[in-house]
Structures are given as C-alpha cells and as structure tokens.
C-alpha cells in the first residue's frame, strides 16, 4: 500500500457525519422534470445486468416496440438515446446536416434558439423564420418558406416549453416530401402526453425526453427516424462529426447486430420500459384526453382567480401553461414560498418571458385533477397574502 496521503476536502470527522442521501419530497409542476411514476422508480432500483446480456437485449427490443407505439410509427430505427432531450436534439442535427446544407428553423421560443445554435455549430446554412413568444406558425407561412428556401431539413418545436405554445403540424410533412426536405420535430414536451402521429404526419426525425410525458427521471431521449432519413444518413459524404451521437454506429447496437457502442445506462432503460408499459396500458387516446381535461381545468381555474394566461386558447399547450405574474406579486419570492412551504415547484419564465410569467406543467404521472385542485387552492389563499397593497386584480 502506498504511503501517499489521500487528498480530500473532507476531513475524517465530517466524513463520518454525512447522512445517507436524502432529497425533500416535491410535487414538480414546472417545465420538467416531472415526478416519476412510483412503478418506474421501482424498476429503476433493480440491480443492473450486463448491457449485452440476453435478458437485457430482450428488454431493449421491448423498449423499441413500446416506443414505436408511443411515437405511433413503424420506423425501424427507434431508440432511447443516452442523455437528456438535448442529446437526441443534437443527434438530429449532427446526423442529417452536412456542412453548407440548408436547414430552415421555425423559431418561436427558447428551444428554437437552441436548434439554431446547434445547427450553426455543425456548420449548416441556417435560415430562420420567427414568431413572437406566445404565437404559432400557420400552415401557409411554413409552406411558403419551405417552397422558397428549399432546405434539406425543416425543423420545428411541437410543444414550446418556454412559451406554452402548441404548434399544429398537420400537412407540413406533405410539403416537406414534395420539396425533398426532411421534417424534423422536437417533441420533448409532447411525447406520451399529446396527440403525435409520426407516420401519419410524415415526420422524418423526432426526439423527446424521458422526464415529462413518460413519467421517468431525466437521462434518456427517445428518438425515431423514417426510411427517408435513413437514406439521407447512409448517403452522407462526410463522417458524422460526433462519435457518441453517430446514428450509424448506434444502429449497430440498437439494430439487429447488437454490437457494443457505449455502455447503456441499463437502469434508465428499465425505467423507460416501465414508463412506456404504463402508457400502453392506459392507452394513448386516454392519455391525450387526460392531459387536455386537466389543462382545461387549470386554465379555467386560473382565470376564475382573476389571472391572465399568456397564450390565446387556439395555441395553448396542455402540458405547459404560461400564466402572467400579477403585478402586485414578486414572482421569484412566490415560487420560493411555494417550494419551501408547500413542496411544490413551478417554473419561472425563460428568456424574454423571465419575470413575466410562471410556467406550470401537468405532464405524465403529474397530470391529474388532485394536483390541479391543490395548486389552485394554494394560489387562491397564498396569492392574496402575497399581493402588495391589494392590486385591482385580487
Ligand atoms: N426541447 C424542448 C421543447 C424542451 O422543453 C427541452 C427541455 O425541457 C429540451 C428541448 C431539452 O431537453 P433536456 O433539458 O432534457 O436536455
């Protein structure tokens, strides 16, 4: 044994005084993560097995089958990528854009900006169309831009978590096919919660996350790609400039060969299998109805309290509501109060909506009537207490 002294910022005394890992109990009604389903947590706590073990390979195939159902597609290459939503987001850019190729990004919030940032890093020729934070694009606007700009890829966020806007995707896939362009959709805040039909809507590339509609902890990012996208990938002239996210390499592990690429986060895959199994047993249509009903209950409850919603009804996103912070309230202090006294998390506005709205999420396991009632009751009593000098709203 070496005589070397271990370097540690922990002296012997406080090493022994560390308690077991503890986290406070929280109801997560913000933009995500959402609470994980108790059955998912049970699956997560099972002992790891080898990521090339036959039993694990069977589990991988089950995850893929369940994902195809949840995405509503028959795409061969459908898999949960290791990493949070941004990992599959980056894979969607890195694999399908070669330097100098044009990507058209329809930007209406913070996550559209992230797509632009990533595409620029991969040296795409980036064209952007923009809407103000709280609005959605019309079919005609998108059609016009695709026909005139002729991009190789058209990218849009389905559910903009920064603004609370749901973007209609009807008909866009058809325009992309006619213009020889791949249709890329960010479904981070819609998969497993809102109507999303990958095959029917002719979406070529889509990604999501585990921590919202799928009722799992963060750590995996479901991904799917059409045959058209596969063809584009296999005809690339240059190597995918990102080893970890290279879908042709990942295909060897998640496709039929099952060749090692990187050590799969096996426990997270147990968790997602369970989250997806719960989705399949409830049924997608029931899940969509549940999310819509609970969102409607929240929206009318907030309006009955005299609060104003940021997004007009036609564009409102059931999984994430942006509600204006009353003038008489300090938004951050109120959120801290909710967290520290009631164990409830809601989110601040992002980017240009910071300090102007709160973001309330009802996603996956957390989208239920009891949570809506609990939050509305607390708003009713606590907002009055917080109101400075009784503004006219309260
Ligand atoms: N896209 C949207 C619409 C999101 O809401 C998020 C995160 O909430 C992301 C992308 C990035 O996902 P992650 O934070 O899991 O990396």
């Amino acid at each position: 044994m070496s005589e070397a002294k271990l370097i540690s910022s922990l002296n012997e005394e406080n090493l022994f005084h560390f308690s077991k890992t503890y986290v406070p109990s929280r109801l997560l009604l913000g933009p995500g993560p959402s609470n994980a389903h108790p059955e998912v947590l049970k699956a997560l706590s099972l002992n790891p097995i080898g990521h090339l073990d036959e039993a694990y390979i069977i589990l991988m195939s089950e995850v893929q089958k369940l994902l195809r159902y949840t995405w509503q597609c028959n795409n061969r290459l459908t898999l949960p990528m290791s990493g949070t939503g941004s990992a599959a987001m980056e894979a969607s850019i890195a694999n399908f854009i070669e330097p100098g190729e044009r990507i058209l990004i329809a930007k209406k919030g913070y996550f559209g900006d992230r797509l632009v940032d990533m595409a620029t890093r991969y040296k795409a020729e980036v064209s952007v169309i923009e809407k103000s934070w709280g609005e959605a694009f019309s079919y005609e606007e998108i059609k016009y831009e695709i026909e005139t700009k002729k991009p190789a890829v058209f990218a849009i966020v389905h559910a903009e978590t920064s603004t609370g806007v749901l973007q209609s995707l009807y008909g866009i896939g058809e325009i992309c096919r006619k213009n020889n362009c791949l249709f890329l959709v960010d479904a981070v805040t819609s998969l497993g919660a809102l109507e999303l039909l990958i095959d029917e809507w002719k979406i070529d590339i889509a990604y999501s996350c585990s921590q919202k509609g799928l009722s799992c902890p963060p750590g995996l990012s479901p991904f799917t790609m059409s045959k058209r996208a596969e063809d584009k990938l296999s005809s690339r002239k240059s190597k995918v400039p990102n080893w970890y996210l290279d879908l042709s390499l990942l295909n060897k592990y998640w496709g039929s060969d099952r060749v090692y690429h990187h050590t799969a986060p096996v426990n997270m895959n147990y968790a997602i299998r369970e989250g997806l199994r719960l989705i399949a047993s409830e049924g997608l249509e029931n899940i969509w109805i549940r999310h819509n009903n609970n969102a409607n209950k929240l929206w009318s409850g907030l309006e009955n309290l005299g609060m104003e919603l940021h997004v007009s009804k036609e564009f409102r996103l059931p999984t994430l509501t942006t509600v204006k912070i009353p003038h008489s309230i300090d938004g951050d202090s109120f959120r801290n109060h909710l967290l520290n006294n009631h164990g409830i998390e809601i989110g601040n506005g992002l980017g240009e909506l910071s300090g102007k709205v709160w973001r309330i999420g009802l996603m996956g396991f957390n989208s239920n009537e009891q949570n809506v009632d609990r939050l509305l009751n607390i708003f009713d009593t606590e907002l009055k207490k917080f109101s400075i000098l009784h503004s006219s709203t309260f």
Side-chain angles (χ1 to χ4, degrees):
M1 188 88 98
S2 120
E3 297 279 297
K5 269 200 146 195
L6 293 183
I7 298 171
S8 172
S9 53
L10 306 165
N11 62 36
E12 256 176 52
E13 192 189 8
N14 56 30
L15 247 185
F16 289 112
H17 283 84
F18 258 86
S19 62
K20 280 194 185 171
T21 304
Y22 158 82
V23 282
S25 162
R26 302 286 194 226
L27 175 59
L28 301 177
L29 299 182
S34 195
N35 290 85
H37 193 288
E39 293 301 323
V40 166
L41 294 176
K42 277 190 209 158
L44 191 64
S45 70
L46 299 171
N47 224 338
I49 58 174
H51 65 118
L52 294 171
D53 185 316
E54 191 54 38
Y56 187 69
I57 305 276
I58 292 170
L59 185 135
M60 287 167 73
S61 301
E62 290 170 349
V63 167
Q64 289 183 287
K65 276 188 199 144
L66 287 162
L67 264 181
R68 286 190 193 102
Y69 166 72
T70 309
W71 282 120
Q72 284 294 291
C73 74
N74 288 305
N75 291 340
R76 188 185 70 84
L77 234 166
T78 300
L79 55 99
M81 301 196 67
S82 305
T84 63
S86 305
M89 185 182 203
E90 186 151 355
S92 302
I93 301 286
N95 285 269
F96 302 103
I97 283 287
E98 293 203 71
E101 271 188 316
R102 184 182 300 275
I103 182 169
L104 173 64
I105 300 175
K107 184 164 87 94
K108 55 187 184 320
Y110 179 90
F111 292 102
D113 273 333
R114 186 174 295 186
L115 277 167
V116 172
D117 186 7
M118 286 185 182
T120 312
R121 287 165 192 250
Y122 285 95
K123 304 195 172 18
E125 178 75 40
V126 183
S127 299
V128 178
I129 45 171
E130 236 177 309
K131 277 272 162 191
S132 60
W133 288 37
E135 285 179 18
F137 292 91
S138 70
Y139 167 83
E140 288 73 24
E141 284 165 331
I142 292 172
K143 181 169 184 282
Y144 174 79
E145 295 293 338
I146 292 175
E147 286 174 352
T148 49
K149 303 232 164 52
K150 299 268 179 227
V153 177
F154 169 68
I156 195 159
V157 177
H158 185 207
E160 217 350 308
T161 329
S162 60
T163 61
V165 165
L166 178 63
Q167 171 67 52
S168 165
L169 301 176
Y170 295 115
I172 302 173
E174 202 60 60
I175 309 169
C176 288
R177 298 248 156 139
K178 283 194 186 132
N179 290 276
N180 194 26
C181 151
L182 291 181
F183 184 19
L184 162 52
V185 170
D186 175 318
V188 167
T189 305
S190 56
L191 180 71
L194 306 178
E195 188 185 28
L196 174 63
L197 306 168
I198 294 293
D199 280 358
E200 197 176 314
W201 295 352
K202 299 185 171 53
I203 295 169
D204 293 300
I205 306 159
Y207 59 85
S208 188
C209 71
S210 50
Q211 71 269 18
K212 302 193 190 197
L214 306 191
S215 308
C216 293
L220 290 178
S221 40
F223 171 86
T224 190
M225 68 195 245
S226 69
K227 174 76 174 59
R228 293 176 81 226
E230 274 197 48
D231 292 345
K232 174 141 174 49
L233 179 61
S234 56
S235 63
R236 276 186 74 100
K237 293 181 208 71
S238 58
K239 262 191 174 180
V240 175
N242 185 317
W243 182 88
Y244 198 73
L245 301 175
D246 183 337
L247 285 160
S248 46
L249 300 179
L250 287 170
N251 178 32
K252 295 198 175 119
Y253 182 50
W254 283 95
S256 51
D257 302 349
R258 304 296 189 199
V259 173
Y260 165 72
H261 176 257
H262 65 270
T263 306
V266 286
N267 288 55
M268 271 310 296
N269 277 286
Y270 302 164
I272 205 166
R273 186 198 177 283
E274 190 57 25
L276 292 167
R277 184 189 71 77
L278 290 162
I279 284 178
S281 64
E282 183 176 354
L284 277 178
E285 280 151 322
N286 294 331
I287 289 174
W288 300 338
I289 293 169
R290 173 163 60 83
H291 281 80
N292 276 309
N293 288 347
N294 291 321
N296 273 298
K297 185 177 166 74
L298 176 70
W299 297 338
S300 47
L302 291 170
E303 284 172 337
N304 287 341
L305 291 176
M307 299 184 80
E308 206 185 323
L309 299 176
H310 173 65
V311 177
S312 65
K313 186 123 201 217
E314 57 176 322
F315 301 140
R316 233 175 255 164
L317 175 60
T319 39
L320 193 284
T321 298
T322 39
V323 59
K324 292 186 185 169
I325 302 173
H327 294 304
S328 52
I329 304 276
D330 177 74
D332 285 344
S333 326
F334 185 74
R335 281 191 311 110
N336 289 337
H337 174 78
L338 266 188
L339 191 68
N340 297 327
N341 295 284
H342 299 276
I344 299 180
E345 179 182 275
I346 61 169
N348 183 22
L350 257 190
E352 62 184 65
L353 293 178
S354 174
K356 297 185 180 148
V357 298
W358 288 314
R359 291 185 300 153
I360 303 173
L362 291 172
M363 304 168 183
F365 176 63
N366 276 358
S367 170
N368 63 54
E369 285 195 54
Q370 296 88 305
N371 287 345
V372 176
D373 285 336
R374 187 169 160 200
L375 189 71
L376 289 173
N377 283 335
I378 294 174
F379 267 29
D380 190 19
T381 50
E382 301 286 331
L383 279 173
K384 284 184 193 128
K385 286 191 211 154
F386 257 76
S387 186
I388 305 164
L389 296 176
H390 314 289
S391 82
S392 54
T393 329
F394 290 97

